[in-house]
Amino acid sequence: MGDITPQPIAPSPDGRYIAVGNTIGVWWYDLSTMTPVALWDTRRGWISTVAFSPNGKWLATGDGEGIVKVWDVHSGDCISQMQRDELKKTEQFMFNTNLVSHLAFSPDGQYLASSSRWDYVLYVWNTETGGRITKFHVETNFKWSGGSPRPIAFSADGNLLACTMPDYSLLVCADTNDRIRAPEHSFNYIAVWDLKNGEQIACLTEPTDFTENLCFSPCGQFLASGGQKGVVRVWTLDDWKLTQEYHNYGTDPKKVFYSPESVLYAAEVSDDTFAVWNVESGEKSDTYLEVHHGLQGNHLPKECPFVSLTESEFKVWKVGDTQPKTLNYSYIGVPYSLAFSHDGKTLAASCTGNTLMFWDTANLPQPPSRFKKARGNFTFSMSPLDKLYATAPEQGTTKGQIISVWKIGNDKVPIASFTFPEQENRVALYSSVFAPVRNLIACGDNEGTLYVWDVAQQKMLHKLKAHSSWIHFIAFSPNEKHLVSIRHAGPVSRMWDIESGAAIEAFPNKAKHIAFSPCSTIAACCGEKDILFWDIVHRETVKVIPQPKDSWGQLHALAFSPCGRYLASGTWWNVWMDKMAIRLWEVESGKNIVTFLGHSSDIQALTFSPDGTILASGSYDKTILLWNLKPYIKS
């Protein structure tokens, strides 16, 4: 969940479990064994925040569509479900607009409050019934264009509720879409409401930086905040005066919490340090000189653990522990392309974060190996001899004007690099692909130009003005005689003869994705309401497979089986879809043999194993699923 903040992690009050929200649901980890034990709420995935009730009886989850659920921890049943903004249910392309930023239970667990990263409305519900208690800041529908975490806190008696809010003076800055664009940090203040009468009783304007979190003292006398720039502030509840402001604990973000005895602590996390400060005495403890990210924890540090995570591990500890516990895991990012080796022993994926990952298919539970360089997004190609090549635009001083090819396994230096011709406008490379049999490279830039290089001869073969804007997809036919390119906007697709560089004008020009048959005679194209099969030799459409209505305009991924008898298609997410459909088609009859439903978001890539018995699918939900095809295909 590297692209959604705050990190959706929460330790259970008894310290036995941590709940981890991610793009496929909520994982439960047993802290005694540091292993996952259950997966909840997989309907749509995309869990953006999780929170336990103080007594540990309930777990609340929030997602990217503004849906909040309350789960019975003992039974695993969903006892109530709420919607942050009912009017947005039917609106298309609104995903993440209502993303739930924070959830907070009242001390007695009776109420649940919810904030969003994008709007200014604060909801309070009855935990068990899901009935709305109140809705604060309803007088405006304005959105903040950048989004920000908006922490919430209940007072110890449950009568007061605090949350960060916008400065009303900024509403005049809203554009025609009701979005506010204003100078950094200038919209943040802390509002406090009395839940009994629904009135706002305080407006605390002292914070000049983003507020990381809020916490009321158990004694009922103070409200504290931790700031993004490291400042800790304390207000008295009787007159709402700023009584203390601590600047002497560094500039790293602080998260504040009170002990049961109302002693104020501040936890900080930087690139190489975790530390807990006693704010009043200035004492520092529990310092670890390690890399940490995504600090989480609740407000009883002596009883409950803190959790932090890096790209490959969790670290869990309590105040007083000499060392944290560690749990390794594999974060794969979004898999944009997939391929099996020709012997089927390796599955490779090109993922966000400029990373290639490789799994041993005979031992899938083992962590994958990785290839990562500080460069642009990789594409990769598998040669007939199972040599794997990665191709990526450089992201150094030239930023996208150099492209390199790396041979995986011997990747200290690239085997080839090419510099783009000098151009008046700054060119950025968005897509590239390597054809290892003939050693050709093709890449496309943000201005719609398609380049083809001969690696062996170190020369440019073609420079084609293929499109009017960003080229996001390029593919060679298996025999490497043809090349297809697709413009992102539109979309607009084109096919090229590699030998001559000429465009094949008869090719369908509205495909969102294209797949070549193994024999290179057919190109399958995603149409608006169907899949077209285009004969490359005779330059004509030879078959059309109509698509179900739930896939109209939603097809995004295609792949032929190695024998060419089957085609797999994958759909793109839309608001009415809980699971994305992956369909297996018999090419000759056009029959839908089976439909798989597993991913909660867009299907990015599909590929068959060499023997055609396994289909691998990669999704924007940051998972790769393997499907057994043996029950559905002919031997």
Side-chain angles (χ1 to χ4, degrees), residues 430 445 467-473 485-493 511-512 556 572:
Y430 281 99
D445 65 23
H467 302 278
S468 59
S469 63
W470 169 23
I471 299 174
H472 84 107
F473 176 83
S485 61
I486 302 178
R487 186 184 75 183
H488 180 262
V492 174
S493 54
K512 293 183 178 181
H556 182 73
W572 200 252

Side-chain angles (χ1 to χ4, degrees), residues 555-577:
L555 286 182
H556 182 73
L558 293 173
F560 275 96
S561 64
C563 64
R565 295 169 64 181
Y566 304 100
L567 179 77
S569 65
T571 53
W572 200 252
W573 177 83
N574 212 320
V575 291
W576 62 81
M577 304 168 75

Side-chain angles (χ1 to χ4, degrees), residues 29 133 159 165 168 175-176 186 305 407 484 509 530 558 619:
Y29 285 86
I133 302 301
N159 292 331
M165 282 291 165
Y168 275 98
D175 60 19
T176 55
S186 63
K407 183 178 179 181
V484 293
N509 65 355
D530 44 38
L558 293 173
S619 168

Side-chain angles (χ1 to χ4, degrees), residues 52-63:
F52 280 96
S53 61
N55 61 7
K57 183 178 180 180
W58 296 306
L59 176 73
T61 62
D63 69 15

Side-chain angles (χ1 to χ4, degrees), residues 136 186 277 446 573 590:
F136 294 120
S186 63
W277 298 84
N446 59 316
W573 177 83

